[in-house]
Amino acid sequence: MSQKPERRGIHVDQSELLCKKGCGYYGNAAWQGLCSKCWREEYQRAKERQIQEDWAFAEKLQREEEVAYASSQGPSSQPGPQPQAQATPPHAALTPFSKFEEKKTNEKMRKVTTVKKFFSPSTRIAPKKEGHEGKTSSPSISRQASLETDRVSKDFMEFLKTMQRPGREIHKQCRAFIESMANKKQDLGADELSECVQDFYQNLSDRLMSHFKGSSESVERVMDQVEKYIMTRLYKSVFCPETTDDEKKDLATQHRIRALHWVTIEMLCVSMDEEIPEVSDNVVKAITDVIEMDSKRVPRDKLACITQCSKHIFSAIKITKKEPASADDFLPALIYIVLKANPPRLQSNIQYITRFCNPSRLMTGEDGYYFTNLCCAVAFIEKLDAQSLNLDTDEFERYMSGQASPRRPTDDGGWPLEAGPSPQGGAAAAASSVAVNPALAQLHHSLEQLSGLSERQDRLMEGARGLQEELVSWEEGVRREVQHILERYPLEVRPPPASAIDTENAETDRLPPPLTPQVFAG
């Protein structure tokens, strides 16, 4: 293949991450490039327009029904009821017809839903997930989820005790909202559930803002606890609901990432050198964080995993470039991490965060910035083509079909098409296969490191044996020296001189004279 002296990296203008309405907040691909605030406004306007169109359509059908009924009666019908029908207000005549249309629509939707549930493979598994989740998951996981729910409820109660009366009111509203959501979850779609949760957030936030007299930090702290409590309790009901195609999108994204397993770090022009141990450690931590996102139940905790992953990426780029990373360096690296990790249920987690996270976190701050970049990375992966990777179209198709595998870039910057048989054979063929397969290259690198460690161990053992020999010779030398001194200067042991008992007693001169025997006359 011809040489590519100039490689084009992935670049996204930072203005493209912002809301298309120009409000200054971060947008989201799931909201058609709008922020949560502008999206809700657009959603409400679209909903009102739809309601007006439905009413206009219902009135039109009502008039057609009246005309059809009048024409079917013919001139022989009695004219008496006609003035009475004309005197009836339109809304009075429309009400029973609207109820009839609503009943007919509901009946039709129920039949369609039943058919979908019967033939859709995902919905056959869904009732087990919702009603008897313990059958699809191990008892330990169910117990862990129950323990986590109890722990979150206990922490929430402890937090509300510090607020006294407002805390009791907040707990009452949260309990009532959870009960109402439990009754609505079967009848509402994902967008309606999201709207209910966001309305609750907004109403409670407004009331807290008046209570704390405009202290946004206090309101945010309370709302974080409310979100944690509510979404932990509602997680099973609102995560990847049956009414959405999130599960299908998850499978499509996983298959897409698996098909792109051949994409290398050089193709994406990522400024990271995984040969550096610290960079490799940060890459592993970033992959772990983005995979761990699926194990979290609270949207804020999932965002925290994305933030930690992004910080590890920035650290890896900084270590490689020896300077702070830029936004242009971050997005290609994030795409590479997502391709390497292939996170489980990626689309479901993104939709879950989009629908039920506190909107203030997604519109501003580092959490919102990193989440927006993750959405851009997923969108890029879905639309990735040959031009994005600086490849020819035929070359890209061969890689996608598995007919060829890319080699590592050569010294002159070229990208060989595929690995052909080596004419030298033997070691050259092994080197060629290593260059083709990144896994074999990593294995070869590990074997080289092990070989180096073995050589170092041999040198260490040789030095230890030399030291042992030196210690033995030193011990022999010391022994000979001591023996020579003993022979030259023999040791003489003299017996101690005999002495009286009291010779060493310095106070014998003070003793009285000895007693002499005396004879007494009888």
Side-chain angles (χ1 to χ4, degrees):
M1 191 181 125
S2 60
Q3 179 180 352
K4 292 184 175 64
E6 182 179 356
R7 295 184 57 77
R8 173 177 56 84
I10 302 169
H11 175 73
V12 175
D13 192 355
Q14 294 302 301
S15 60
E16 298 179 7
L17 302 179
L18 301 178
C19 178
K20 292 183 178 180
K21 290 289 185 179
C23 62
Y25 297 124
Y26 291 118
N28 194 325
W31 296 327
Q32 301 177 2
L34 303 177
C35 66
S36 61
K37 180 180 179 182
C38 297
W39 169 253
R40 282 172 61 84
E41 293 176 355
E42 289 291 331
Y43 180 79
Q44 292 293 340
R45 284 195 287 267
K47 190 174 181 180
E48 292 176 359
R49 288 194 300 267
Q50 185 65 35
I51 292 175
Q52 293 176 359
E53 292 175 359
D54 292 343
W55 276 101
F57 183 69
E59 292 176 355
K60 179 181 177 181
L61 291 178
Q62 175 67 22
R63 289 192 297 268
E64 291 178 356
E65 287 286 341
E66 292 177 354
V67 172
Y69 179 77
S71 61
S72 64
Q73 294 296 324
S76 60
S77 61
Q78 297 180 358
Q82 294 181 359
Q84 184 177 0
Q86 293 178 357
T88 304
H91 62 83
L94 185 62
T95 301
F97 177 76
S98 301
K99 292 183 178 179
F100 170 74
E101 285 293 322
E102 182 179 0
K103 182 177 180 182
K104 183 170 66 176
T105 304
N106 293 337
E107 184 68 22
K108 181 179 178 181
M109 291 300 296
R110 185 162 57 251
K111 293 180 180 180
V112 172
T113 304
T114 303
V115 174
K116 286 184 177 180
K117 287 183 178 180
F118 183 78
F119 288 101
S120 177
S122 61
T123 53
R124 288 200 302 266
I125 304 174
K128 295 182 180 180
K129 178 183 70 175
E130 179 179 310
H132 304 283
E133 192 173 20
K135 296 182 179 180
T136 58
S137 60
S138 63
S140 60
I141 297 178
S142 301
R143 287 194 299 269
Q144 183 178 1
S146 178
L147 291 175
E148 182 179 1
T149 303
D150 296 339
R151 180 181 57 80
V152 170
S153 301
K154 183 179 179 181
D155 294 342
F156 185 62
M157 293 298 297
E158 294 294 332
F159 174 79
L160 293 179
K161 287 180 181 178
T162 60
M163 302 179 60
Q164 297 180 357
R165 183 175 179 180
R168 292 192 294 270
E169 182 66 23
I170 292 173
H171 181 258
K172 181 179 179 181
Q173 293 184 12
C174 291
R175 289 293 299 273
F177 176 74
I178 292 173
E179 292 177 359
S180 64
M181 289 290 291
N183 297 328
K184 295 178 181 178
K185 65 181 181 180
Q186 300 292 343
D187 302 328
L188 299 181
D191 293 335
E192 287 79 8
L193 293 174
S194 174
E195 186 178 1
C196 292
V197 174
Q198 297 297 334
D199 288 340
F200 178 77
Y201 286 161
Q202 186 64 39
N203 296 332
L204 184 59
S205 178
D206 294 340
R207 297 187 62 179
L208 291 174
M209 189 65 70
S210 61
H211 171 73
F212 288 108
K213 299 179 181 180
S215 178
S216 58
E217 295 181 359
S218 301
V219 174
E220 184 177 357
R221 185 170 63 254
V222 176
M223 291 304 300
D224 288 343
Q225 295 294 329
V226 170
E227 176 189 338
K228 184 177 182 181
Y229 174 69
I230 289 178
M231 299 316 302
T232 302
R233 300 290 298 271
L234 298 177
Y235 179 78
K236 296 180 180 179
S237 304
V238 299
F239 183 83
C240 191
E242 297 180 9
T243 56
T244 64
D245 58 348
D246 294 346
E247 184 178 357
K248 185 184 298 183
K249 292 180 179 178
D250 289 334
L251 296 176
T253 302
Q254 283 194 343
H255 291 325
R256 176 67 173 175
I257 293 177
R258 288 173 184 170
L260 294 170
H261 68 279
W262 50 268
V263 177
T264 62
I265 194 171
E266 292 83 9
M267 291 181 179
L268 297 172
C269 299
V270 179
S271 302
M272 292 191 306
D273 185 6
E274 292 188 273
E275 299 294 332
I276 303 175
E278 295 181 359
V279 175
S280 179
D281 292 342
N282 279 283
V283 169
V284 172
K285 291 178 181 178
I287 293 174
T288 304
D289 288 333
V290 75
I291 292 176
E292 190 179 359
M293 173 180 61
D294 185 60
S295 64
K296 304 299 181 182
R297 300 164 68 91
V298 184
R300 180 166 59 93
D301 295 340
K302 293 181 182 291
L303 278 179
C305 292
I306 299 174
T307 302
Q308 288 296 325
C309 170
S310 303
K311 289 182 177 180
H312 288 308
I313 293 174
F314 272 105
S315 298
I317 298 174
K318 183 178 180 180
I319 294 172
T320 302
K321 299 181 64 177
K322 298 181 180 179
E323 63 181 10
S326 63
D328 293 336
D329 299 326
F330 171 65
L331 184 58
L334 180 60
I335 294 172
Y336 175 71
I337 292 298
V338 173
L339 289 176
K340 291 269 287 186
N342 196 1
R345 299 191 294 185
L346 180 58
Q347 293 286 355
S348 294
N349 283 287
I350 291 177
Q351 292 297 330
Y352 178 71
I353 295 173
T354 302
R355 293 165 183 157
F356 303 107
C357 184
N358 192 342
S360 62
R361 287 188 172 273
L362 299 183
M363 294 190 300
T364 57
E366 62 178 5
D367 290 342
Y369 174 76
Y370 294 140
F371 179 71
T372 303
N373 275 274
L374 178 62
C375 296
C376 292
V378 175
F380 177 85
I381 292 173
E382 293 176 348
K383 300 178 182 179
L384 191 142
D385 54 7
Q387 184 180 3
S388 304
L389 299 176
N390 304 281
L391 300 174
D392 296 335
T393 303
D394 296 338
E395 183 181 3
F396 179 81
E397 293 298 332
R398 284 197 296 270
Y399 292 161
M400 291 295 294
S401 61
Q403 298 177 0
S405 298
R407 294 184 182 180
R408 288 190 172 186
T410 57
D411 295 336
D412 58 355
W415 288 90
L417 284 176
E418 54 186 334
S422 177
Q424 291 82 3
S432 176
S433 63
V434 166
V436 171
N437 196 330
L440 291 179
Q442 183 67 27
L443 180 61
H444 182 69
H445 178 68
S446 300
L447 290 176
E448 290 180 351
Q449 289 183 336
L450 289 175
S451 177
L453 291 175
S454 178
E455 293 177 358
R456 291 177 58 185
Q457 185 179 8
D458 293 340
R459 290 195 299 268
L460 181 61
M461 293 301 296
E462 184 178 357
R465 285 191 294 268
L467 180 59
Q468 185 178 9
E469 293 176 358
E470 291 179 0
L471 288 174
V472 171
S473 61
W474 177 79
E475 183 180 1
E476 292 293 336
V478 171
R479 185 181 294 109
R480 287 194 301 268
E481 187 71 21
V482 171
Q483 186 67 27
H484 176 69
I485 293 174
L486 291 176
E487 293 175 355
R488 185 175 180 181
Y489 304 101
L491 181 62
E492 296 180 2
V493 181
R494 298 178 179 179
S499 60
I501 298 178
D502 297 335
T503 53
E504 297 181 358
N505 194 345
E507 298 182 354
T508 55
D509 56 343
R510 298 181 183 180
L511 293 175
L515 297 175
T516 58
Q518 297 179 4
V519 178
F520 294 95

